[in-house]
Amino acid sequence: MAPKHPSDTARPLMALLYDKTVRSIIYQVLVFGGVFFLGWYLVSNVQTNLDEQNIATGFGFLDREAAFGISESVISYSPQDNYGRALAVGILNTIKVSLTGIILATIIGTLIGIGLVSKNWLVRFIGKSYIDLFRNVPLLLQLFFWYALITNGLPGVRQALNPLPGTFLTNRGLYIPIPADNPAWFWVFIAFVVGIIGSFVLRRWSFKRLEATGQVFPHLSVGLGIIVGLPILTWLLFGAPVEMNVPALQGFNFKGGLNMSPEFFTLLLGLTVYTATYIAEVVRSGIQSVPKGQSEASTSLGLKPSWTMRLIILPQALRVIIPPLTNQYLNLTKNSSLAVAIGYPELVSISNTTMNQTGQAVEGVAIFMTVYLGISLLISVFMNWYNKRMALVER
Amino acid sequence: MLKKLTSTTAAAALSLTMVAGGVQAGDTVDAVKSQGYVKCGVNTSLPGFASSASGSWEGLDVDVCRAVAAAVFGDSEAVQYTPLTAAQRFTALQSGEIDMLSRVTTWTLTRDTSLGLNFAGVNYYDGQGFLVRKDLGVTSATQLDGAAVCVEPGTTTELNLADYFRANGMDFEPVVIENTTEVTAAFFSGRCDVYTTDRGGLASARMVSAENPDDYVVLPEVISKEPLGPVVRHGDDEWFDIVKWSLLAMVEAEEYGITSENVDDMLDSTNPGIQRFLGVTPGMGEALGVDEDWAYNIIKQVGNYGEAYDRNVTEKLGLDRGLNALWKDGGLMYAYPIR
Amino acid sequence: MTSMIPSQARPTGGTTWKRSVRWLRNNLFSTPLNSIVSLVCIYVLWEILSALVGWGLVHASFSPSKEFCGEVSGACWAFVHDNYRFLLFGTYPAESQWRPLIAIFMLLAGILVSMNRRFWSPWLAVAWVVGFFVMYIILGGGVLGLRPVSSNNWGGLTLTLILAVVGIAFAAPLALILALGRRSEMPFVRVICVVFIEVFRGVPLISVLFMASLMFPLFLPDGVSINKMLRAQVGIIFFQAAYLAEVFRGGMQAIPSGQYEAADALGLSYWQKMSKIILPQALRLVIPPTMSTFISLFKDTSLVTIIGLFDLLAATKAAINDPTWRQQYIEGYVFIAIIYFCFCFFMSRYALYLDREMHKGMSH
């Protein structure tokens, strides 16, 4: 191996250097030393800087009064509340726009993904053009564009568009009527939740029965019936209240009803349109990953087409689709941070304001990085769990 | 082994530092002198205070930067301007990206203390107001209940706004946009009913950014005190002194009646105060650590405070001196003795 | 990678007319339902295209003078005429704008040359390093009688291209190191790489940029400042390198373990094994995801607008915030959307081409 060395004493040392374990230890010590030193150097600099310029540190500010207003919030918030609550509002707003965006992007993306494998050339062409167009333009630019279009293109409050009775479209957002306050709606919601739980239980039971007796129970349609029927029944029981809370022009703005602000709408639109292009590709590759033979075999076994889809195609396609899909969900959530550019008060934008009012940049950045890391970890833990569950069981 | 490692890494880090163009702690003056220009943070665009629309930077805030450059280098053009949003300004200063900040920044206790800043004086006494469209029919800020309000984040304005509405038992919907030009654009597009900032800023938006200034009106209420002035880093006293006295020299010149036109004649003045001020009698420059003709250069190249105000604020925004008149004329501008 | 687009009509026999008819019948009007869908699609496409063409061409004003803007119902392209220098060069001093123009051409030429496989050699890397250096001097000035121009004034498309190209040039090698580190047998090295990759992949790019622009200066010794553009550039590089590292790792994992074992059996060292056996195969496998990471990087440079750098998007926003051009915001956004689109679309087509080229001669 090593060439003969004139000096005998140097030999063991050289050999040692060529030894794999020793070398690996040396490398690691070097890397460790480097990283450790860098970390120590940076942290000590921060300390000196903060001390020297007399900049405040610590998370004590979270308890102090925030004193700034936030335009929209899931929980109640007023400027008297503390910074901690303001940040919580930001986190909830992030979750709100991300969840809505995920649902919409999945629906649109799936439709386009199916269009991409259509037999119709025009449908495929439209699908591909959509993807090319919205994928190759930066999301931030799209957001600015939609925002400018909404605030400049739509009329002011006094000249609001009125596309449907009770619904108003202005450059202050979309106002739609919602059912007026009534205890009935609370119970309808409860009935809805009970319906979902009930249909899950039903599904369990029907699978057990299938395995035990071989009899098929139409659990899907019955389950759906429960989910829809139970709330309707509850609503009827409460005397079928139909009173609506209709938005009306009062002072400067519309009051009442449900308001979707231009900032929220822009962000939702941008995230949905952009992420849908990626989801469409994911769905397409999922569909194409299932060999044709599978559906042919299933048909020749005499399975109904709906069963073929549900029992043969979907489970296999989903196995390919789910991992990249989760990645897209994660990307959408992270991209929602671009809201800072158009003024939707999500986590990054509120942290930003907090940083500026308190001057504590280190803490502010630390908070929102931790929250995003937390969300990412949570989703990847879920993914691993799901992958294990979905993995092919080989017998 | 480890020791050697540390020292090599330290050497590497040190060389990196030097590549980055090191500046030693607390020595902004030396750094500024060696780089040959003043790095000054200004507004992205606020005509009257700081604007580069005409190709070169101009405005009342810009004149403070130029005065400092004139004092240090004898050349008011030796400035590198960094346009900053309200949210970026303090970090830029703290990090040393700029040597001084002259960007309509309100002097407050927390900024002076826990943000690690030092205010070098006040170059514009202002107060917060509201700008609305005339056709809304609003005549007083107390009628603004439920309005959508455009405001810049990270400003005192944002906090005063919440305080004011709370004190008057009113609601508002904040529309928070970071960049001055963008927040005004949002207001003029009709996204908000009201735009709130310092009244100087409102005048600037109305006169320069509105398509028709007469469609808009500034409401009479002034809801806060906004003393705006140049800022430097905490813990760098020599530099602090230079910025502070450059500003005061502009005011002092107006008190003496020295202008950029007559400053050369004033060199022959027999008034001992003026002789000291213009460096005919040496001493002031040396005390400040700059050339003896520092004040002469400021006045010759930038003008006195009154000239700067007329050129930028009165002519462009149509605002009279008000609080910013000299103390002799009932205003708040008051130069400390230069002796 | 074989695509499974349904096979199209075979072009056999018949005149062109007959073939077209057959193609139409097979692809658009095969069943009644299909025919209805086709008609709906044609209608939708017609509506969209006629609206776009009407706005952008038919009813538009191409006069370089702004005075016609009010007279047309469509686009007013005088916006582009009046602002193109601003969009290309930002606030770079007007009399020196030939310098960023040269920089843009250098970057474009560099990209075109690098795309050609014939030039792929270590010398190309050297050429890039020299190129970056020359470009830096041309833009920054201060020597050879060039007036110094602070990087604060580098802007517009110039800045976007610099951020993107320099980003790609540095993210790729860093990603390779990270990917190797993550697959290393040395636990400490592996842990550091995993943490680096996962942290950067777990947070949004905007938070990395905020960290670079707001927080990082505090990490430096008092008084030392690193230029803001450089900080943003490093933020972009770290962020995309983390994503790219995972792409590369995927490629390395896809190489059968027999290849590793064979290389070990030949007595190759670690670096020989990696550079001669594993990486050439692994990188070939991951061309499409690598290119889409590059495309992401290009698009993501637009985020520096938020931290106050003056890139193409920021320049456009500044241009349309000018009261003169406030009505022409659609023109502004559409114009730069086309620029971004051209670059990204071109890159994605190049990825397809390269992928095909690289798999030529590999039997499947």
Side-chain angles (χ1 to χ4, degrees), chain B:
Chain B
M1 173 78 206
L2 197 70
K3 203 172 178 185
K4 195 179 170 194
L5 188 82
T6 329
S7 60
T8 0
T9 329
L14 200 70
S15 55
L16 189 90
T17 310
M18 281 162 53
V19 167
V23 178
Q24 273 309 301
D27 286 339
T28 310
V29 186
D30 296 341
V32 167
K33 281 183 177 160
S34 69
Q35 81 202 4
Y37 52 85
V38 179
K39 292 187 283 185
C40 194
V42 293
N43 205 309
T44 44
S45 175
L46 188 65
F49 294 88
S51 148
S52 60
S54 63
S56 60
W57 283 93
E58 56 183 29
L60 192 66
D61 284 344
V62 168
D63 281 345
V64 176
C65 307
R66 294 176 61 218
V68 173
V72 178
F73 299 108
D75 174 12
S76 68
E77 298 304 306
V79 187
Q80 185 195 79
Y81 298 98
T82 305
L84 296 165
T85 69
Q88 297 160 345
R89 55 187 165 176
F90 299 132
T91 338
L93 185 62
Q94 285 163 351
S95 68
E97 212 171 295
I98 52 175
D99 302 317
M100 60 178 287
L101 175 71
S102 182
R103 189 202 174 280
V104 286
T105 303
T106 309
W107 190 341
T108 70
L109 183 141
T110 45
R111 286 176 177 174
D112 213 348
T113 55
S114 64
L115 255 68
L117 309 173
N118 268 349
F119 282 80
V122 176
N123 70 331
Y124 193 84
Y125 288 96
D126 208 345
Q128 183 177 344
F130 298 99
L131 182 68
V132 295
R133 274 192 78 89
K134 244 181 209 160
D135 58 17
L136 270 183
V138 174
T139 52
S140 155
T142 52
Q143 299 165 349
L144 291 176
D145 191 14
V149 186
C150 274
V151 63
E152 274 175 85
T155 56
T156 48
T157 323
E158 190 186 19
L159 305 178
N160 299 332
L161 170 71
D163 283 356
Y164 181 78
F165 274 74
R166 196 204 301 181
N168 286 291
M170 301 190 296
D171 269 337
F172 70 103
E173 181 206 343
V175 177
V176 177
I177 301 173
E178 205 185 300
N179 195 308
T180 311
T181 35
E182 275 161 40
V183 78
T184 46
F187 170 69
F188 290 121
S189 77
R191 173 65 188 95
C192 318
D193 301 300
V194 191
Y195 174 39
T196 184
T197 185
D198 307 333
R199 286 165 69 93
L202 293 182
S204 173
R206 178 167 165 265
M207 294 307 290
V208 183
S209 306
E211 273 161 59
N212 183 6
D214 293 335
D215 288 348
Y216 299 89
V217 58
V218 177
L219 297 179
E221 282 83 357
V222 180
I223 68 165
S224 70
K225 292 182 289 183
E226 308 281 341
L228 312 174
V231 196
V232 296
R233 270 185 297 280
H234 191 100
D236 192 357
D237 293 352
E238 284 170 42
W239 178 242
F240 176 56
D241 289 341
I242 291 180
V243 175
K244 178 168 57 188
W245 286 100
S246 299
L247 174 61
L248 288 172
M250 290 175 72
V251 181
E252 180 83 337
E254 191 184 4
E255 287 187 20
Y256 277 128
I258 311 175
T259 66
S260 54
E261 311 272 302
N262 68 9
V263 64
D264 288 314
D265 303 336
M266 284 292 186
L267 287 174
D268 305 327
S269 166
T270 52
N271 182 337
I274 294 179
Q275 286 179 344
R276 261 196 308 275
F277 180 52
L278 294 179
V280 179
T281 316
M284 298 304 118
E286 192 194 348
L288 202 54
V290 293
D291 292 340
E292 290 297 344
D293 56 359
W294 64 285
Y296 169 84
N297 287 331
I298 293 177
I299 300 158
K300 181 76 185 164
Q301 299 178 21
V302 185
N304 67 32
Y305 181 78
E307 287 179 89
Y309 193 98
D310 289 342
R311 183 169 64 226
N312 296 304
V313 183
T314 310
E315 269 177 36
K316 294 225 177 67
L317 311 180
L319 294 175
D320 54 22
R321 288 289 289 268
L323 286 177
N324 296 296
L326 289 181
W327 59 280
K328 294 189 283 195
D329 308 329
L332 292 172
M333 282 297 162
Y334 180 100
Y336 310 147
I338 293 182
R339 68 176 305 139

Side-chain angles (χ1 to χ4, degrees), chain A residues 28 32 35 41 45-46 49 52 120-123 132 135-136 140 152 274 278 334 337 352 365 368 376, chain C residues 27 34 37-38 186-188 192 201-202 204 206-207 210 215 218-222 243 299 302 329 341 344:
Chain A
Q28 297 202 51
F32 178 80
V35 170
Y41 176 74
N45 275 335
V46 173
N49 278 326
E52 215 163 74
N120 189 308
W121 181 85
L122 269 172
V123 174
D132 275 341
R135 209 179 180 164
N136 287 325
L140 188 61
N152 290 299
Y274 186 75
Y278 288 89
K334 284 185 279 182
S337 59
N352 232 0
V365 173
F368 73 72
S376 301
Chain C
N27 285 287
N34 213 351
V37 171
S38 296
M186 295 179 262
F188 196 79
I192 287 180
R201 276 163 44 93
I206 189 64
S207 70
F210 271 133
M215 221 168 109
L218 291 173
F219 283 100
L220 294 173
D222 189 14
Y243 278 84
K299 286 186 291 182
S302 61
Y329 63 96
F341 178 86
C344 294

